[in-house]
Structures are given as C-alpha cells and as structure tokens.
C-alpha cells in the first residue's frame, strides 16, 4: 500500500481530498454564461436566507478534516462577498487544509494581503477577454476588467499563487493569443477552456456563448495548438472521474454534490452530517460503482483517447450522468483529426486546457 500514490489511494478508499465549498450565491457580476443561475433574475431574500450559516460552514470544515480532506476551495457566487471568508480560511488552516479561493478578482485589490495573512495560498481568477470591451460584454459590469486586473496584481504582490481561468466563448476567440500574453505579462499561470454548460437552474441561454465546431477546429489549429499534447487519455481509459471519490462539492444551500461541477443532489447538510452523506449516500455510492459498461457508447468510440469528457458537464447539459453531450463528442473528434494529421505540439506557454 505504501507504493500507491496518495490520490490513487484516496480514489480507492473514497477520501474527499479536494472539496469545493460554495459560500454564497451572491455575486457582484451578472455574467451571461454563469452556470449557477440566470444572473438577470435577482436573488430573492428567501434564497439568500437558505444559505449555510457561518457555524454550519465551520462545522463542515471540521467534518471534511475528519474525513481526510487536504484542500478546500472557497467559491460562490463571489466568495469575497461573504463577510466571514477570512474566518473560514483561518479555521481551515487550523485544520491543516491548503486553501484556495475562486473569484472574479474585483475585490482582491483590497483583500489580497488579508487573505494571504489568513492562510490562502492560491487564487483562481476568472477572465473573459484581453480587453475591457470583450470581458465586460460577458460580465455586464463596466469597469470590471480593470478591477479584476488590479486584483490579480495585488494577489501577486501578496505572494499568492494566481491562475487565470480563461473561459473561451464566441465573443473572445479573436483575443485568445492576447489573453495568453496577458497571463505571461502578469507572471501567472492560466487555464483555457471552451466547455460551457447549461445552468443549474435549468435555463440554457448560457450555451449561446459556446463556440461551434468550425471555430473550435480553427482555434485548435491556431492559437490553442501549443496547448495540445498527445491523446488526453489512454486508449483503454474508463470514463469515471474523480467525482465522489477524491473530490466533493457543497453548494451554498448545503447540497452535497459529487463535484461542484456535477450538481447531482446527494444529501443536504441540514438533514444529515457530511460524514453520513459522504459514506452513505445512494447517489454517491452509485457513481463510485460505475463501470465502462455504464457508458456503452463511449466504450466503442474511436475518439475516446482524445475525449475531454467531464461527467458534470454531461450531466448538466443532458440530465444523464453517463449520457452523451454532443459538443463534447464533437470536440473529441476535432482533437482526434488534428492529432492524426500531426498537428499537435507540446505545451510551451505555461498554461493548459482545463475546466474553468
């Protein structure tokens, strides 16, 4: 057992090493592609009242620690809107967690040093373009681009590890090369991802911003080519991911999910403890028991080694955790074609393709 890598051992024994805790649904932006809900529909006081209380979040941190957790990512909404964020960070650090914060960066300018002092080691900042016009066309907030960049600079000055999460949309494809340059100029890491999902509230207009096949192929042959390596996975890969094994998500209202990107309700913290849900949820245990036979179409697919499938994306877009998402299948076909033509190169820019 001593020779088994930690993450592999966690997968086998279902240890929630990596938890994402959504602190609030509130946000200071109105992003058109927001996966959580349509931001043009304001939150009601009742929705805000259903968010977990500070004592409940502190108890959750204790329970995650008791189950063997190693890293907590606090997110939202906008995590920095929550008035007790630093309290949660300090409590998590007292439990020996590594702590990340996912943010739009707008409030980091005044908070970066405080977060660092509290114990945050990294921040992931969402950026949607290389210019104010492009970024703010998606965020719906004039001035948000410069505030975000100011926040990134403050985080770097506070010695936080910063990664820019570049979400690729129809509206920013012309700026991708400049977006990469922006990350390099700021001296930070970055991820790029063209996958978008429908919303957790069931609305789908967020998908209007997803790039089409011709655009995606042009990107992978052009500005994203340097980020394409070999096949994404082994030819005999199964389709299981880290959901419900080494990863877990908790919503602002206490719903436990297999992953924050896979909003499959598995139990609520108001009805049971995290330990009871994590160990006994029929939903989580069903996911842990999935085999390749549960993905029958994937098993015979020639594009499988090139597939960047996220079960959470598939679930949100189709309602079927083991189903097929047409866009994901299209992307795998594009990557397969380019690979067979020899059109890939090792990543030379310090970034990677990944889920936003």
């Amino acid at each position: 057992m001593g020779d088994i890598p930690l993450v592999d051992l966690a997968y086998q024994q279902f240890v929630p090493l990596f938890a994402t805790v959504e602190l609030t649904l509130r946000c200071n932006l109105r992003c058109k592609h927001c996966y959580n809900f349509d931001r043009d529909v304001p939150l009601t006081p009742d929705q805000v009242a259903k968010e977990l209380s500070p004592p409940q979040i502190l108890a959750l941190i204790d329970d995650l620690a008791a189950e063997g957790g190693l890293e907590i990512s606090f997110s939202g909404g906008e995590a920095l809107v929550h008035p007790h964020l630093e309290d949660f960070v300090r409590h998590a650090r007292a439990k020996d967690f590594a702590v990340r914060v996912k943010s739009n960066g707008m409030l980091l300018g005044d908070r970066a040093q405080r977060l660092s002092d509290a114990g945050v080691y990294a921040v992931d900042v969402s950026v949607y373009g290389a210019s104010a016009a492009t970024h703010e066309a998606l965020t719906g907030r004039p001035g948000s681009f410069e505030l975000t960049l100011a926040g990134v600079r403050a985080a770097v000055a506070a010695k936080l590890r910063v990664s820019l999460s570049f979400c690729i949309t129809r509206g920013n494809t012309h700026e991708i090369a400049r977006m990469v340059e922006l990350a390099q100029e700021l001296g930070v890491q970055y991820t790029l991802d063209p996958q978008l999902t429908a919303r957790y509230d069931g609305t789908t207009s967020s998908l209007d911003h997803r790039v089409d096949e011709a655009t995606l192929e042009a990107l992978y042959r052009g500005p994203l080519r340097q980020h394409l390596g070999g096949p994404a996975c082994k030819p005999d890969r199964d389709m299981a991911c880290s959901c419900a094994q080494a990863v877990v998500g908790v919503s602002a209202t206490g719903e436990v999910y297999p992953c924050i990107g896979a909003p499959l309700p598995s139990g609520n913290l108001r009805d049971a403890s995290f330990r009871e849900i994590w160990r006994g949820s029929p939903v989580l245990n069903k996911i842990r028991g999935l085999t390749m036979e549960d993905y029958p179409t994937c098993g015979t697919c020639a594009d499988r080694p090139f597939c960047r499938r996220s079960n959470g994306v598939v679930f949100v877009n189709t309602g079927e955790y083991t189903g097929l998402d047409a866009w994901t299948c299209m992307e795998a076909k594009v990557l397969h074609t380019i690979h067979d033509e020899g059109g890939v190169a090792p990543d030379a820019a310090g970034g990677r393709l990944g889920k936003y």
Side-chain angles (χ1 to χ4, degrees):
M1 181 176 295
D3 295 331
I4 301 176
L6 176 63
V7 173
D8 291 344
L9 188 62
Y11 278 29
Q12 295 172 15
Q13 298 187 0
F14 312 133
V15 178
L17 293 182
F18 308 106
T20 299
V21 178
E22 186 182 70
L23 298 179
T24 180
L25 295 173
R26 290 164 288 172
C27 189
N28 49 0
L29 293 180
R30 296 170 60 187
C31 294
K32 294 178 172 59
H33 74 298
C34 180
Y35 66 84
N36 217 318
F37 61 92
D38 187 345
R39 291 286 170 180
D40 284 331
V41 181
L43 281 169
T44 66
D46 183 59
Q47 287 174 304
V48 173
K50 290 180 179 177
E51 294 182 357
L52 293 176
S53 68
Q56 288 172 319
I57 293 173
L58 294 174
L60 170 61
I61 294 170
D62 291 342
D63 289 348
L64 287 166
E67 290 299 304
L70 290 182
E71 180 176 278
I72 291 181
S73 295
F74 291 119
S75 74
E78 170 50 50
L80 273 72
V81 169
H82 201 293
H84 298 283
L85 175 58
E86 280 94 345
D87 296 332
F88 302 146
V89 172
R90 282 188 286 269
H91 191 72
R93 287 297 301 129
K95 295 292 182 178
D96 293 325
F97 279 103
V99 181
R100 304 180 72 97
V101 173
K102 297 181 181 295
S103 172
N104 59 43
M106 290 179 59
L107 301 175
L108 272 174
D110 296 328
R111 299 276 293 281
Q113 190 59 56
R114 285 163 52 190
L115 289 172
S116 179
D117 292 344
V120 172
Y121 86 95
V123 290
D124 302 309
V125 180
S126 299
V127 181
Y128 308 116
S131 67
T134 300
H135 180 84
E136 291 164 15
L138 204 66
T139 66
R141 169 79 182 271
S144 57
F145 183 67
E146 289 304 325
L147 283 171
T148 292
L149 293 190
V152 169
R153 294 186 182 100
V156 171
K159 305 271 192 280
L160 293 171
R161 186 180 303 177
V162 181
S163 178
L164 301 187
S165 299
F166 290 127
C167 179
I168 298 172
T169 69
R170 288 177 182 266
N172 65 20
T173 57
H174 63 292
E175 290 187 353
I176 287 177
R178 178 66 189 121
M179 288 156 70
V180 171
E181 291 175 357
L182 178 63
Q184 293 170 336
E185 290 167 4
L186 291 166
V188 301
Q189 295 296 304
Y190 60 93
T191 61
L192 301 119
D193 204 294
Q195 288 184 319
L196 292 181
T197 69
R199 297 193 182 92
Y200 294 3
D201 67 358
T203 58
T204 60
S205 61
S206 55
L207 296 177
D208 295 343
H209 301 276
R210 190 167 55 177
V211 298
D212 59 20
E213 181 173 359
T215 302
L216 185 69
E217 183 166 355
L219 291 174
Y220 281 153
R221 292 184 183 279
L224 293 180
R225 182 179 180 275
Q226 62 185 318
H227 301 288
L228 303 183
C233 29
K234 297 178 181 178
D236 61 347
R237 77 168 283 204
D238 64 36
M239 306 312 292
C241 60
S242 55
C243 284
Q245 298 189 80
V247 167
V248 68
V250 180
S251 80
T253 56
E255 289 290 347
V256 177
Y257 297 147
C259 167
I260 204 64
L264 193 59
S266 306
N268 193 289
L269 296 177
R270 290 189 169 89
D271 302 320
S273 69
F274 177 80
R275 178 189 179 101
E276 291 170 326
I277 297 170
W278 179 252
R279 296 192 178 193
S281 166
V283 174
L284 298 181
N285 285 326
K286 180 178 180 179
I287 289 174
R288 292 162 183 156
L290 293 173
T291 67
M292 198 62 227
E293 285 68 38
D294 295 299
Y295 303 83
T297 307
C298 295
T300 58
C301 180
D303 299 324
R304 180 158 55 114
F306 305 87
C307 184
R308 295 201 312 121
R309 175 193 177 99
S310 160
N311 287 326
V313 169
V314 173
F315 171 70
V316 177
N317 287 348
T318 71
E320 297 290 336
Y321 188 86
T322 59
L324 292 177
D325 174 55
W327 195 96
T328 298
C329 295
M330 175 273 291
E331 182 192 43
K333 182 185 73 173
V334 167
L335 289 171
H336 191 172
T337 299
I338 294 173
H339 180 271
D340 284 356
E341 293 174 356
V344 300
D347 182 358
R352 62 182 177 86
L353 293 174
K355 196 74 212 92
Y356 60 92

